Amino acid sequence: MDHTIPAETAAHVLFHYGREGGYQPGSFTEQLITTIDMADPGNRDRLAAGFPDYVAAVVAIQYDPAGVTRLQQIAAGQVAA
């Protein structure tokens, strides 16, 4: 699941997980991230069809040991995803 993650998306996901460098999204996006966070792999794949950047960011923070750092760098504009 390799997809470009915009800085805003990275910041929203960081906020959801209580990590530095994030900021609060709107209520729809908060619920979307919560839904992706709770989804089993099959439903997460379905959500990726409509929201690939958010799914990629949640997967990065959940499963990649360097995911938090990577999202913080993206949110700060230090790297492109």
Side-chain angles (χ1 to χ4, degrees):
M1 204 171 295
D2 190 20
H3 194 276
T4 300
I5 301 170
E8 181 177 58
T9 299
H12 291 164
V13 171
L14 287 166
F15 179 86
H16 175 79
Y17 287 93
R19 301 303 185 125
E20 188 176 326
Y23 58 85
Q24 187 170 14
S27 59
F28 175 82
T29 303
E30 281 187 44
Q31 291 301 312
L32 174 63
I33 296 167
T34 298
T35 301
I36 295 167
D37 181 30
M38 295 170 42
D40 59 67
N43 283 311
R44 187 177 59 229
D45 289 346
R46 287 182 188 89
L47 289 164
F51 305 97
D53 53 337
Y54 278 98
V55 171
V58 169
V59 167
I61 207 166
Q62 286 182 337
Y63 301 108
D64 180 354
V68 171
T69 300
R70 181 170 160 245
L71 291 179
Q72 287 170 331
Q73 291 171 335
I74 293 167
Q78 296 171 349
V79 296

